Amino acid sequence: MSTRIAGLVLGVLALGATTLAAQAQAPSNRFLLATYYECNYDSEGVADMMMQRLSPVMQKHVDAGHITSYGMSAHVLGGAWRRIVSMWGTRDALLDLWTALDGEMRAADPVALAAFNNTCGTHQDYLWSEVAASPPPRTPIPANHFRHSTYFFCNQAQEQNVDSLVIKTVGPEIQKHVAMGHVYDWNWLEHENGGTVRRVLTFTGPSVKALFQMRQAIFEGIGEKATQDLFGGACGNHFEYVWTSVPLTP
């Protein structure tokens, strides 16, 4: 690569990092309502089919502009959670929908809802607020993507220091790999309501192997001190999952 081209590339990446940091510091109006399910391993496929039958209820709210999107994810690597059902939107819209959704699903297809609950009978609900994220992708993310998620337990008095670290250092490093096509997007989310997890870092890619390669490259890119600050500081305790998307529409 010539010096001139290398300089242009570095300049673009630096500009992207600066823009990202400026965007991330602005208040976000994006919220994620996610339910994490523990399921009967032998009949998880039934749960997927039942959620496919119930998905028109959520699609109706996307079409009406109440929420921006919804989805379902399946466990690939990690702990006891086996499925996630999630919806993006404003906080008020998500809360309004959440109070009515069970009744709407029960009215639309009570057999499917009962079968899903029988298979995935234990769950935890979380409401997340987006602190920082990659810009919206120019092209749709492939349906068969994988997502790496790190869930952090944090000292609440110090967790904003970690937010600053992600905004200024970690996020721009991941964004470099988004720009090069190695990963599709990333998010840094903060706890609004739910259990004891306080922050989540996610990024998506084309394969499980690619996710772990990028995980290593990202940590090497941000340096040893930033890695220690992220994993050994205010948010030192964590656990990790890899998820894959479950198709809900034909």
Side-chain angles (χ1 to χ4, degrees):
M1 181 182 292
S2 71
T3 302
R4 180 175 180 273
I5 294 176
L8 286 172
V9 171
L10 291 173
V12 169
L13 292 176
L15 178 60
T18 302
T19 303
L20 174 64
Q23 291 174 342
Q25 292 175 34
S28 173
N29 198 36
R30 278 169 48 89
F31 290 81
L32 176 67
L33 185 56
T35 302
Y36 302 83
Y37 290 94
E38 297 181 31
C39 305
N40 183 330
Y41 180 82
D42 292 333
S43 54
E44 288 176 336
V46 173
D48 296 344
M49 290 188 291
M50 296 304 100
M51 190 53 61
Q52 288 168 355
R53 285 171 51 172
L54 292 165
S55 66
V57 176
M58 292 183 283
Q59 184 61 47
K60 176 184 68 176
H61 290 282
V62 173
D63 296 340
H66 301 153
I67 58 176
T68 57
S69 63
Y70 66 93
M72 184 176 185
S73 300
H75 173 282
V76 177
L77 292 171
W81 291 339
R82 299 297 303 178
R83 293 294 187 274
I84 310 174
V85 176
S86 57
M87 299 175 288
W88 282 97
T90 65
R91 176 167 51 192
D92 287 350
L94 288 172
L95 294 177
D96 287 342
L97 176 57
W98 188 246
T99 58
L101 189 60
D102 186 77
E104 290 185 22
M105 288 185 169
R106 194 175 306 278
D109 195 333
V111 173
L113 183 61
F116 179 86
N117 288 334
N118 286 338
T119 301
C120 300
T122 301
H123 70 271
Q124 296 183 49
D125 300 318
Y126 275 87
L127 178 64
W128 303 106
S129 173
E130 186 178 77
V131 178
S134 55
R138 295 181 179 179
T139 58
I141 295 174
N144 59 342
H145 65 269
F146 294 85
R147 183 170 70 256
H148 187 282
S149 297
T150 304
Y151 301 86
F152 292 92
F153 302 100
C154 303
N155 181 330
Q156 294 185 42
Q158 301 175 1
E159 59 193 7
Q160 289 187 352
N161 295 334
V162 181
D163 292 343
S164 180
L165 173 66
V166 172
I167 291 168
K168 295 178 180 178
T169 303
V170 180
E173 183 63 32
I174 304 175
Q175 190 60 36
K176 292 179 184 178
H177 292 283
V178 174
M180 291 184 283
H182 300 157
V183 293
Y184 299 136
D185 67 355
W186 66 275
N187 291 87
W188 177 249
L189 307 173
E190 70 173 322
H191 175 281
E192 283 281 326
N193 189 267
T196 56
V197 177
R198 296 294 303 175
R199 294 294 189 275
V200 186
L201 177 65
T202 73
F203 54 93
T204 61
S207 68
V208 176
K209 182 178 179 179
L211 290 179
F212 280 91
Q213 289 173 337
M214 286 303 98
R215 180 180 182 273
Q216 182 64 30
I218 290 162
F219 294 154
E220 291 176 356
I222 66 176
E224 183 176 349
K225 182 182 185 306
T227 301
Q228 290 177 348
D229 288 344
L230 180 62
F231 286 98
C235 298
N237 294 324
H238 67 277
F239 59 92
E240 299 176 72
Y241 276 79
V242 174
W243 302 98
T244 188
S245 180
V246 176
L248 294 181
T249 56

